[in-house]
């Protein structure tokens, strides 16, 4: 069975602080995919990144970076120099090898509040 | 990546009535997924809809309560039947894609049952 744990329920930071959102996963698949999504107050789910299990290279996209460590089954997300617009619920998710046909398992989400 | 149009975006319904949610995708996809997100909760998969066959429901969800149609490769509907206040949630449809797009989600339907 697949499981995603986001231990941080809520995080509050002041603008310009760096913040890291933790994600730990469990799966028996040897090939799998990890995702991060952002859900702003409007409710839509915005795809941020997908990482496959064979690619442990860290990724940076602007102020966002992701640290995938297979040895610890973690896929953490860091926002550098946070902004008020980053306030949202962030979900980490896990899927099996075939994203055309397989479902995702979501963590419970971390609510990030960035104060001005 | 695929673009999904989901309707309605929100609705307020009376208990005992039914609401049908529609998702239209701008490309053909094999499977579509329907999720429920209860207030303050994560996403829970309701069912997987494959064109030409009955949907596959997850534990805790039944066809009589959440009938799904999948008439072609670009469209699906989810009906929430005989609604009660406990059905108040955001309902989202999703499609899986290859490459680096992951899963694409519709904008969601925010349902309130009174």
């Amino acid at each position: 069975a697949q499981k995603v744990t986001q231990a941080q329920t809520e995080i509050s930071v002041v603008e310009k602080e760096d913040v890291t959102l933790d994600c730990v996963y469990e799966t028996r698949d040897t090939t799998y995919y990890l995702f991060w999504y952002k859900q702003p107050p409007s409710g839509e789910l915005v795809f941020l990144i997908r990482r496959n299990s064979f690619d442990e290279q860290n990724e940076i996209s602007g102020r966002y970076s992701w640290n995938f460590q297979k040895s610890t089954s973690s896929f953490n997300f860091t926002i550098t120099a946070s902004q008020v617009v980053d306030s949202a619920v962030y979900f980490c998710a896990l899927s099996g090898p075939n994203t055309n046909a397989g479902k995702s398992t979501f963590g419970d989400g971390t609510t990030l509040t960035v104060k001005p | 990546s695929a673009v999904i149009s989901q309707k309605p975006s929100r609705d307020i319904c009376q208990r005992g009535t039914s609401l049908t949610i529609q998702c239209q995708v701008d490309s053909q996809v094999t499977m579509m997924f329907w999720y429920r997100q209860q207030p303050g909760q994560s996403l829970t998969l309701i069912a997987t809809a494959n064109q030409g066959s009955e949907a596959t429901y997850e534990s805790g969800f039944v066809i009589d309560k959440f009938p799904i149609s999948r008439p072609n490769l670009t469209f699906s509907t989810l009906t929430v039947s005989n609604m009660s206040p406990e059905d108040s949630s955001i309902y989202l449809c999703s499609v899986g894609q290859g490459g680096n797009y992951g899963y694409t989600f519709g904008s969601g339907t925010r349902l309130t049952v009174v």
Side-chain angles (χ1 to χ4, degrees):
Chain A
Q2 296 181 332
K3 184 178 179 182
V4 177
T5 302
Q6 294 179 253
Q8 304 149 308
T9 305
E10 296 182 7
I11 300 176
S12 181
V13 298
V14 177
E15 207 168 18
K16 297 185 182 176
E17 284 186 18
D18 298 346
V19 58
T20 295
L21 310 181
D22 296 335
C23 174
V24 174
Y25 63 92
E26 296 175 28
T27 180
R28 293 179 182 171
D29 290 322
T30 53
T31 300
Y32 51 89
Y33 294 91
L34 295 160
F35 307 86
W36 276 96
Y37 295 90
K38 174 182 180 180
Q39 187 176 44
S42 58
E44 63 186 273
L45 214 60
V46 179
F47 166 74
L48 295 178
I49 190 172
R50 155 179 148 154
R51 183 53 101 218
N52 76 55
S53 52
F54 296 110
D55 182 2
E56 288 193 69
Q57 222 173 5
N58 290 335
E59 174 130 356
I60 298 175
S61 176
R63 296 185 296 108
Y64 295 170
S65 62
W66 291 269
N67 184 351
F68 174 32
Q69 297 212 345
K70 211 168 177 179
S71 60
T72 56
S73 298
S74 65
F75 186 43
N76 296 337
F77 173 31
T78 297
I79 302 175
T80 303
S82 60
Q83 300 176 1
V84 173
V85 293
D86 295 327
S87 297
V89 181
Y90 290 86
F91 290 98
C92 180
L94 167 70
S95 79
N98 188 354
T99 57
N100 291 320
K103 63 180 183 180
S104 290
T105 300
F106 282 77
D108 289 337
T110 298
T111 300
L112 173 65
T113 302
V114 181
K115 299 177 181 177
Chain B
S1 63
V3 175
I4 302 176
S5 174
Q6 183 171 345
K7 300 178 186 179
S9 58
R10 57 178 63 230
D11 207 341
I12 301 174
C13 300
Q14 297 291 321
R15 68 174 68 203
T17 62
S18 298
L19 176 72
T20 295
I21 302 167
Q22 300 180 2
C23 272
Q24 178 76 51
V25 189
D26 69 347
S27 58
Q28 294 184 342
V29 293
T30 305
M31 289 190 178
M32 294 179 73
F33 308 95
W34 287 97
Y35 288 85
R36 180 178 73 182
Q37 186 180 22
Q38 294 178 299
Q41 305 288 318
S42 185
L43 281 75
T44 301
L45 183 67
I46 298 171
T48 301
N50 197 359
Q51 191 266 336
S53 62
E54 275 201 6
T56 302
Y57 289 83
E58 297 296 304
S59 176
F61 298 96
V62 295
I63 188 171
D64 289 346
K65 176 67 175 177
F66 298 101
I68 288 172
S69 78
R70 185 80 202 276
N72 57 53
L73 291 173
T74 63
F75 186 78
S76 179
T77 67
L78 169 76
T79 298
V80 186
S81 303
N82 189 25
M83 289 184 285
S84 66
E86 291 71 34
D87 294 319
S88 297
S89 298
I90 297 174
Y91 293 85
L92 299 109
C93 61
S94 173
V95 299
Q97 301 185 261
N100 289 322
Y101 298 114
Y103 292 85
T104 300
F105 285 81
S107 53
T109 297
R110 195 180 293 267
L111 170 63
T112 302
V113 184
V114 297

